[in-house]
Amino acid sequence: MAQNKPVLYSYFRSSCSWRVRIALVYKGIDFEYKAVNLLTGDHQKEDFLKLNPCGNVPVLTDNGNTIASSAAILEYLEETVPSPALLPKDPVSRAKVREIVDGILSGIQPLQNMKVLKYVGGENSLSWAKHWIVSGFGAIERILEGSHGTYCVGHAVTMADVCLVPQICNANRFNVDMTQFPIINKIASRLSHLEAFKDTHPFVQPDCPADLRIPK
């Protein structure tokens, strides 16, 4: 009997959701997309909270299992669909990938997400977001000086690249001057030509509003 496709609960502009979309497409996993509109409060409705009590996207359901949090989902996909790999075999390179991933997932994105900016409030929210993105990318840029090849760590796409590109999109939303991060920019330019990154862009997703949509 054929198994049901995994279901990804996603919001088009969520960088956390975009990471998972990239990994799914990169690994060739066919999945169903279910939109969760964060602006209208879909993530706080009871049906969704049963899937993820934290009320965040993304959420992946697969073979009767429910996994929330992009980091957990990425690790799950790597373990269940190991090829093509998003983690290097070499333990030092693997640790370096996780170092970059942690810098983004812990040190940048959570500090500029929607609920934090609402709490910061008003005119302060933009400067707050820009500060933490610039600070975090400054650290990532220095890490990449010693780790990058074609991509973040060596010459193969890894979880570090999967997490980097969506965060750059966030930086652009907050008008961060990305010219101060030349290595990040070069890597992002190379990644932008790969199908897994193009096909999962926020502005080609089914729940993207018409005024933001770009042709695939």
Side-chain angles (χ1 to χ4, degrees):
M1 181 181 295
Q3 293 181 336
N4 293 330
K5 293 191 293 187
V7 177
L8 178 67
Y9 293 81
S10 173
Y11 178 60
F12 81 103
R13 214 165 200 169
S14 159
S15 60
C16 301
S17 298
W18 190 5
R19 299 166 194 155
V20 174
R21 294 197 302 265
I22 294 169
L24 286 164
V25 173
Y26 184 77
K27 288 178 173 290
I29 302 169
D30 188 21
F31 67 97
E32 180 183 349
Y33 186 105
K34 284 198 175 182
V36 179
N37 192 327
L38 302 185
L39 298 183
T40 59
D42 286 355
H43 58 304
Q44 294 299 331
K45 293 179 179 177
E46 188 60 31
D47 284 350
F48 185 77
L49 291 174
K50 288 178 182 177
L51 292 172
N52 181 11
C54 294
N56 299 326
V57 290
V59 173
L60 185 76
T61 60
D62 185 30
N63 293 325
N65 302 304
T66 301
I67 304 150
S69 167
S70 64
I73 296 170
L74 290 176
E75 292 283 351
Y76 170 81
L77 294 175
E78 186 69 3
E79 291 172 1
T80 56
V81 185
S83 181
L86 285 170
L87 285 172
K89 291 183 178 179
D90 169 60
V92 175
S93 298
R94 185 177 286 236
K96 187 59 63 175
V97 168
R98 288 193 166 113
E99 180 182 341
I100 295 167
V101 168
D102 186 67
I104 296 169
L105 271 60
S106 299
I108 306 177
Q109 189 276 328
L111 296 168
Q112 47 90 109
N113 69 13
M114 187 170 65
K115 62 185 178 182
V116 169
L117 295 184
K118 281 185 177 180
Y119 186 83
V120 172
E123 297 178 359
N124 292 330
S125 62
L126 178 60
S127 60
W128 168 279
K130 289 180 72 172
H131 169 79
W132 291 112
I133 294 170
V134 170
S135 173
F137 269 169
I140 298 294
E141 181 83 2
R142 291 190 291 274
I143 294 170
L144 293 175
E145 288 175 0
S147 70
H148 85 284
T150 307
Y151 304 119
C152 284
V153 179
H155 300 291
V157 174
T158 67
M159 284 186 195
D161 305 291
V162 167
C163 294
L164 179 69
V165 168
Q167 186 55 54
I168 294 170
C169 190
N170 282 348
N172 291 332
R173 284 178 62 197
F174 292 109
N175 299 316
V176 171
D177 176 14
M178 290 300 297
T179 62
Q180 59 193 306
F181 309 116
I183 300 174
I184 290 175
N185 281 339
K186 287 179 182 178
I187 293 169
S189 178
R190 295 171 187 141
L191 291 166
S192 69
H193 298 291
L194 302 181
E195 292 300 322
F197 291 81
K198 291 193 293 185
D199 290 350
T200 58
H201 192 282
F203 296 163
V204 300
Q205 298 312 300
D207 56 329
C208 176
D211 60 328
L212 294 176
R213 188 171 294 279
I214 57 175
K216 275 193 178 185

